[in-house]
Amino acid sequence: ADLEADMKTLAKSTKAFAEAKDLNNAKQQLVIMRQAALSSKKSLPHKLEGLPPENVQVKQYQAGLDQLVAEIDRVTVLVNKGQLDQAKTEAINLVNIRNENHKKFR
Ligand code: HEM
């Protein structure tokens, strides 16, 4: 999918995760989120269009998405332990990572 579509998927799944009432639904949203984050890594933002893979900014963009995946994985560990409330608290970091990276690349 293109980056806009992946970002929309990230937005929908993070919202649905925050509203999830049960562990199964929460887990499902995290799987969707993770796929969209990995798919985003295959695209370049408009701001970085045409830059080669070895470009420093391209590397930083990809590192931002790696951070997002790592955070999704930390949230997933808590969901898998049955700790939905703690998982939702941990998930606040997803928003921090989003905001930091949107400042740089959006
Ligand atoms: C949960 C985390 C995130 C959410 C919910 C999110 C959400 C969004 C949304 C809703 C848009 C607008 C899409 C549209 O055009 O309709 C967007 C755009 C964008 N986001 Fe994110 N985002 C997240 C994380 C990230 C991260 C980690 C990065 C970079 C490392 C990133 C980079 C961008 C860029 C570059 C655009 C503009 C599209 C472009 O230039 O091609 N986002 N995001």
Side-chain angles (χ1 to χ4, degrees), residues 52-97:
E54 66 273 16
N55 176 273
V56 173
Q57 278 187 290
V58 171
K59 296 279 184 211
Q60 285 170 350
Y61 165 74
Q62 290 165 345
L65 288 160
D66 286 338
Q67 255 193 300
L68 191 68
V69 170
E71 184 55 32
I72 292 166
D73 289 346
R74 281 192 283 275
V75 176
T76 301
V77 167
L78 293 170
V79 170
N80 285 341
K81 285 201 257 180
Q83 301 176 349
L84 186 54
D85 288 345
Q86 291 91 327
K88 287 186 182 184
T89 302
E90 178 67 33
I92 292 165
N93 289 314
L94 297 171
V95 178
N96 299 333
I97 295 167

Side-chain angles (χ1 to χ4, degrees), residues 1-102:
D2 68 22
L3 185 55
E4 271 99 356
D6 286 330
M7 287 292 153
K8 280 178 186 157
T9 302
L10 275 178
K12 270 191 202 167
S13 52
T14 44
K15 183 169 188 285
F17 173 80
E19 294 169 354
K21 300 260 183 290
D22 62 81
L23 291 165
N24 273 340
N25 186 232
K27 183 69 199 288
Q28 228 176 344
Q29 300 309 323
L30 288 164
V31 169
I32 294 168
M33 231 183 268
R34 198 178 195 281
Q35 283 169 347
L38 288 176
S39 175
S40 300
K41 259 187 97 174
K42 297 182 192 153
S43 305
L44 279 186
H46 293 301
K47 273 192 183 176
L48 306 186
E49 244 167 41
L51 293 177
E54 66 273 16
N55 176 273
V56 173
Q57 278 187 290
V58 171
K59 296 279 184 211
Q60 285 170 350
Y61 165 74
Q62 290 165 345
L65 288 160
D66 286 338
Q67 255 193 300
L68 191 68
V69 170
E71 184 55 32
I72 292 166
D73 289 346
R74 281 192 283 275
V75 176
T76 301
V77 167
L78 293 170
V79 170
N80 285 341
K81 285 201 257 180
Q83 301 176 349
L84 186 54
D85 288 345
Q86 291 91 327
K88 287 186 182 184
T89 302
E90 178 67 33
I92 292 165
N93 289 314
L94 297 171
V95 178
N96 299 333
I97 295 167
R98 177 196 69 191
N99 292 346
E100 277 171 31
N101 285 283
H102 279 183

